[in-house]
Amino acid sequence: MPEPPTPSRRGRLARLGTAVAVLLAVVGYVAVQYVYGGKPSPRCTVVSANGDGASYEFTAEQAENAATVAAVGTSRGMPERAVTIALATALQESGLRNIRFGDRDSLGLFQQRPTQGWGDERQIMDPAYSAARFYAHLAEVPGYSRLPLTVAAQRVQRSGYPQAYAKHEPDAVLLAAALTGRAPATFSCEGRPGTAPGGPAKVRAALERDFGRAVRPEAAGGRTVTVPVPATAAAGGEAPRRGWELAHWAVAQSSALRVERVSYAGREWRVGGSGGWHEVAAGRAAGPGAADRVRIVTAQ
């Protein structure tokens, strides 16, 4: 039977173990820097339009998913409160990430379960599909818009921790105000489009995926996608709201779709700019008909 290690030997082994752990950590860090070029994930920010200084910062991936959730909701005629409930739910369930794991067979943004009738794995992993299913169930909750957010979300999700939704409500309120277009020029991203295929065709396909037939881009050449803003109920402010919804959606999708510039209503967002939206000279970037069109310029 071997003799137990002496205190000095145990000390040497501990130091050796620490050295190996540090070495592995360094190797891992170098590998990550090599793969990702040392660049942090592009960030997005939404700020309050109420002048109270409230803001929320998150990743490009989260922004893409949030914009899809909001677009699916408004295209189904759901009110801003419904979008707020959906966004708070997705923040709690998945951190607004389209994950392939969870409790038992839970999947996706809302952690929906194939065995509970939410759809198959392929369907649930489609953010537009999973958002549509969430809204369909929410619409069946009587008076959901007047219920506390935790209660409305729980009626759909049946979570083991229903009060957890409450902590995400302030951020969801900011996101919903921007992504439904009620709060103009409050949503921006760094952009930095990656190497994934993008371009006008991808933008048009993504618009159809998230908004359905409610949005119809105009036929155009080159790198620009022009989206008309319906003039219905313009006196009530619905046209500008729709325009800002589309403009913020395009910014949220900028990394995934390689969007370089978005302009609407005399303001412009540019990838890699100093951040936020800036006023532009009439006709310079927005072009003719800027008041009723959103222009999305891609990198290719």
Side-chain angles (χ1 to χ4, degrees):
M1 184 175 180
E3 296 181 1
T6 65
S8 61
R9 186 183 177 192
R10 285 198 297 269
R12 288 196 299 273
L13 289 173
R15 288 192 294 273
L16 177 61
T18 300
V20 170
V22 171
L23 179 61
L24 290 174
V26 171
V27 170
Y29 173 79
V30 172
V32 169
Q33 297 303 304
Y34 176 78
V35 173
Y36 295 104
K39 295 181 180 179
S41 172
R43 306 294 293 179
C44 298
T45 304
V46 58
V47 298
S48 173
N50 299 327
D52 54 12
S55 65
Y56 177 57
E57 185 176 279
F58 50 125
T59 68
E61 176 192 1
Q62 292 172 302
E64 293 159 22
N65 291 325
T68 292
V69 169
V72 170
T74 60
S75 68
R76 295 174 68 92
M78 302 296 281
E80 184 179 331
R81 179 62 176 172
V83 175
T84 299
I85 295 168
L87 289 170
T89 301
L91 279 166
Q92 170 59 27
E93 297 292 351
S94 66
L96 272 172
R97 294 178 175 88
N98 200 27
I99 55 180
R100 291 187 175 274
F101 57 87
D103 178 46
R104 288 168 284 188
D105 59 335
S106 300
L107 296 166
L109 291 178
F110 295 92
Q111 289 292 276
Q112 295 160 338
R113 299 179 59 193
T115 58
Q116 298 299 309
W118 288 94
D120 59 34
E121 179 178 352
R122 179 188 61 80
Q123 290 173 319
I124 293 173
M125 290 304 296
D126 176 353
Y129 171 91
S130 63
R133 290 303 307 274
F134 178 89
Y135 287 119
H137 281 73
L138 181 64
E140 295 177 355
V141 177
Y144 71 84
S145 62
R146 299 186 299 274
L147 294 174
L149 186 145
T150 53
V151 175
Q154 176 65 357
R155 296 279 176 86
V156 176
Q157 298 293 107
R158 304 189 184 281
S159 168
Y161 306 95
Q163 294 306 315
Y165 299 118
K167 65 178 177 288
H168 300 290
E169 185 166 4
D171 296 331
V173 167
L174 287 179
L175 280 170
L179 293 174
T180 62
R182 180 172 63 82
T186 55
F187 187 100
S188 63
C189 292
E190 293 174 344
R192 294 210 310 271
T195 58
K202 291 284 186 179
V203 171
R204 283 190 282 269
L207 282 165
E208 181 178 353
R209 175 199 68 200
D210 289 356
F211 291 95
R213 295 184 177 181
V215 170
R216 292 183 177 276
E218 293 178 343
R223 299 183 295 124
T224 301
V225 176
T226 302
V227 188
V229 178
T232 56
E238 292 301 315
R241 180 165 181 163
R242 184 61 152 176
W244 280 110
E245 178 185 8
L246 290 163
H248 286 159
W249 176 91
V251 172
Q253 304 289 340
S254 58
S255 291
L257 301 178
R258 305 195 70 184
V259 172
E260 286 193 335
R261 189 166 77 246
V262 180
S263 55
Y264 176 64
R267 295 199 182 193
E268 181 181 81
W269 168 89
R270 286 177 176 265
V271 64
S274 57
W277 291 79
H278 304 281
E279 292 186 2
V280 294
R284 183 177 66 82
D292 59 358
R293 285 170 173 76
V294 176
R295 293 181 75 245
I296 305 167
V297 181
T298 68
Q300 60 182 37

